[in-house]
Amino acid sequence: MHTDAPVLFLHAINLIGIFVFAVSGAMRGVRSQLDIFGIIVLAVVTAVFGGIVRDVLIGAIPPESIADWHSVALAVFAGVFVFFFHRFFDRLQHPVLLFDAAGLGVFAATGTQKALAFGLSPFMAAVLGVISGVGGGMVRDVLSGQVPVVLRAEIYASAAALGCVLVLAGDALRLPPLESTLAGAAL
Amino acid sequence: MHTDAPVLFLHAINLIGIFVFAVSGAMRGVRSQLDIFGIIVLAVVTAVFGGIVRDVLIGAIPPESIADWHSVALAVFAGVFVFFFHRFFDRLQHPVLLFDAAGLGVFAATGTQKALAFGLSPFMAAVLGVISGVGGGMVRDVLSGQVPVVLRAEIYASAAALGCVLVLAGDALRLPPLESTLAGAAL
Amino acid sequence: MHTDAPVLFLHAINLIGIFVFAVSGAMRGVRSQLDIFGIIVLAVVTAVFGGIVRDVLIGAIPPESIADWHSVALAVFAGVFVFFFHRFFDRLQHPVLLFDAAGLGVFAATGTQKALAFGLSPFMAAVLGVISGVGGGMVRDVLSGQVPVVLRAEIYASAAALGCVLVLAGDALRLPPLESTLAGAAL
């Protein structure tokens, strides 16, 4: 990996994905009346699970979130933040789903990009993108005793799949990774 | 891997296992009144989870179902097929369990075989075979909010264990892998 | 790895962790009225899951419990033992939690130690220690249809985190791994 501007930018986008997923997990913890430790665990697991599964499956071991402490530290911070200031998020209609959808878009795009970089075929790269995007939310739902929302709400996975396809289209057209990943995430 | 006839035949058997597991997952999705996307996700996860866990644990990374798009594509197809034609399967008494048992026999046998080929001891190869066979159904059940059927119904795991032992016996007797795997799967 | 006395001792401690986790899983199986096979599956999964996740994430593939048959065989034995003699454990107030806490302390300490040995930063080594310690119990709870106790009972994860910190402190002070791991596990 070069540490030039686009890569740093992708890294920043990824941290945004980590943060919003962590908020989504922490808000579920608040709703389930967990104590602060339970909230932090749900925040961290929701934030890093999808990316870790992706990295293990493409052979990027140790996974990004394990080799480097930034992701876990950020997710712990998000969990503590939500524990103290969840009233702020309570005003939102569906805070868990809202932040979940944001994280899903980001991770589906960056996950597809990373799988392509590891030599997977476009179809499997898109599958890995979807796994990155929906994995964290699935584990969050299973751990809190619910059927995963992604199984019930078509809109979620469709959004993820579309994001992946957009990244693939950008790749096929030889667009720079940065721009196509951004477009995929925005979707 | 040589691409001679026996290997191709094992590959074909494996695809049959993928297909029946995918049908089992998709039928559960239909019963849980999921939308088409939820059905496809359950079909794919049920079909590939056991094999992916096996491959990660024996160090075959990226796993077969990730390196190659055939398994996922077949499972997606099975999910779509069940979505449109599930009335056909509805006539069967316990469609989820029936297809689960078929997939379990196939995967327990091929999983044991593959673990042996990666140098595991016979005992651990049989354990990996059981994991390959029951992993997909366990995740299907957890995701749809049920206690895994394998924990409740002795017959399942016993069948898987017996299949593995048969493959090991064939291996010990220096029988060709193909025949002993077939015998294990048939059981 | 040298096979000198401290390493053998750590291996012995690890087997104690495997055994108590297996008892915790098997007791849950008894409480959920599973048959003997379900009890054995819960015992094995509870005993080895945390360590397997740790090993995959730090790149120790195949994981210890897969490369070597001792852990799985011990967990199977514990499951059979509990099936026949669970009346003995029934006298204890909270047998699942008691054995869970014991295993958690052991695995948090040895997991942190192992992650350090694989070159992870102290912070991430502690995270891996917590994963090793709480992973098995989480899966046991999810498979038996309960919200993981670690999400609800602050005391558990706090104990794991403290154990990890103690190991790290010992490591920072250049104490021999054996002594600091023991101290961490005792806590």
Side-chain angles (χ1 to χ4, degrees), chain B residues 18-183:
Chain B
I18 295 276
F19 183 77
V20 292
F21 264 133
V23 169
S24 148
M27 280 308 297
R28 168 63 53 77
V30 169
R31 293 281 156 99
S32 304
Q33 302 183 303
L34 301 181
D35 58 44
I36 186 166
F37 191 86
I39 290 171
I40 291 174
V41 169
L42 261 193
V44 173
V45 169
T46 306
V48 303
F49 186 82
I52 284 180
V53 170
R54 176 202 62 212
D55 285 355
V56 168
L57 295 185
I58 63 178
I61 295 176
E64 209 171 305
S65 320
I66 299 297
D68 183 50
W69 56 270
H70 298 123
S71 308
V72 171
L74 181 63
V76 169
F77 168 77
V80 174
F81 183 81
V82 168
F83 177 74
F84 285 111
F85 302 106
H86 61 83
R87 270 166 232 284
F88 172 73
F89 298 103
D90 277 339
R91 292 183 182 181
L92 300 167
Q93 285 258 295
H94 298 286
V96 175
L97 296 193
L98 188 72
F99 284 91
D100 196 26
L104 190 154
V106 171
F107 276 19
T110 58
T112 307
Q113 195 66 59
K114 184 165 186 179
L116 279 177
F118 271 73
L120 267 72
S121 67
F123 175 69
M124 288 311 299
V127 170
L128 265 291
V130 173
I131 293 174
S132 311
V134 306
M138 280 181 123
V139 170
R140 175 200 63 215
D141 293 346
V142 166
L143 289 181
S144 49
Q146 303 194 3
V147 172
V149 69
V150 71
L151 291 183
R152 288 172 291 145
E154 199 165 342
I155 183 71
Y156 278 88
S158 315
L162 266 173
C164 298
V165 167
L166 207 55
V167 172
L168 290 176
D171 186 72
L173 296 169
R174 312 245 175 275
L175 293 182
L178 175 60
E179 281 75 9
S180 55
T181 304
L182 273 181

Side-chain angles (χ1 to χ4, degrees), chain A residues 34-39 41-42 44-45 52 56 61-63 65-70 72-73 76 142-145, chain C residues 56-61 120-121 123-124 127-128 130-131 138 142 146-148 150-155 157-158 161:
Chain A
L34 301 181
D35 57 43
I36 185 167
F37 191 86
I39 289 171
V41 169
L42 261 193
V44 172
V45 170
I52 284 180
V56 167
I61 295 177
S65 319
I66 299 296
D68 183 50
W69 56 270
H70 298 124
V72 171
V76 169
V142 167
L143 289 181
S144 49
Chain C
V56 168
L57 295 185
I58 63 179
I61 294 176
L120 267 73
S121 67
F123 175 69
M124 288 313 297
V127 170
L128 264 292
V130 173
I131 292 174
M138 280 180 123
V142 167
Q146 303 194 2
V147 172
V150 72
L151 291 183
R152 287 171 290 146
E154 198 165 342
I155 182 71
S158 315

Side-chain angles (χ1 to χ4, degrees), chain A residues 71-96:
Chain A
S71 308
V72 171
L74 180 62
V76 169
F77 168 77
V80 173
F81 183 81
V82 168
F83 177 74
F84 285 112
F85 302 105
H86 61 82
R87 270 166 233 284
F88 173 72
F89 298 103
D90 277 339
R91 293 183 182 180
L92 301 166
Q93 286 256 293
H94 297 287
V96 175

Side-chain angles (χ1 to χ4, degrees), chain C residues 91-180:
Chain C
R91 292 183 182 180
L92 301 168
Q93 286 256 295
H94 297 288
V96 175
L97 295 194
L98 187 72
F99 284 90
D100 196 26
L104 189 153
V106 170
F107 275 19
T110 59
T112 306
Q113 195 67 58
K114 185 165 186 177
L116 279 177
F118 270 73
L120 267 73
S121 67
F123 175 69
M124 288 313 297
V127 170
L128 264 292
V130 173
I131 292 174
S132 311
V134 306
M138 280 180 123
V139 170
R140 177 199 62 215
D141 294 347
V142 167
L143 289 181
S144 49
Q146 303 194 2
V147 172
V149 68
V150 72
L151 291 183
R152 287 171 290 146
E154 198 165 342
I155 182 71
Y156 278 88
S158 315
L162 266 172
C164 298
V165 167
L166 207 55
V167 172
L168 291 175
D171 187 73
L173 297 169
R174 311 248 175 272
L175 292 182
L178 175 60
E179 282 74 8
S180 55

Side-chain angles (χ1 to χ4, degrees), chain A residues 3-4 9 11 29-30 40 47 52 60 73 75 90 96 98-99 102 117 126 129 141 152 161 167 180-181:
Chain A
T3 50
D4 46 358
F9 206 72
H11 189 62
V30 168
I40 291 175
I52 284 180
D90 277 339
V96 175
L98 188 73
F99 284 91
D141 293 347
R152 288 172 289 145
V167 172
S180 55
T181 305

Side-chain angles (χ1 to χ4, degrees), chain A residues 102-183:
Chain A
L104 190 153
V106 170
F107 276 19
T110 59
T112 307
Q113 195 67 58
K114 184 165 188 178
L116 278 178
F118 270 74
L120 268 70
S121 67
F123 175 69
M124 287 312 298
V127 170
L128 264 292
V130 174
I131 293 175
S132 312
V134 305
M138 279 181 124
V139 169
R140 177 200 63 216
D141 293 347
V142 167
L143 289 181
S144 49
Q146 303 195 2
V147 172
V149 69
V150 71
L151 292 182
R152 288 172 289 145
E154 199 165 343
I155 182 71
Y156 278 87
S158 315
L162 266 173
C164 298
V165 167
L166 207 56
V167 172
L168 290 176
D171 187 72
L173 297 169
R174 311 247 175 274
L175 292 182
L178 176 61
E179 281 75 8
S180 55
T181 305
L182 275 180

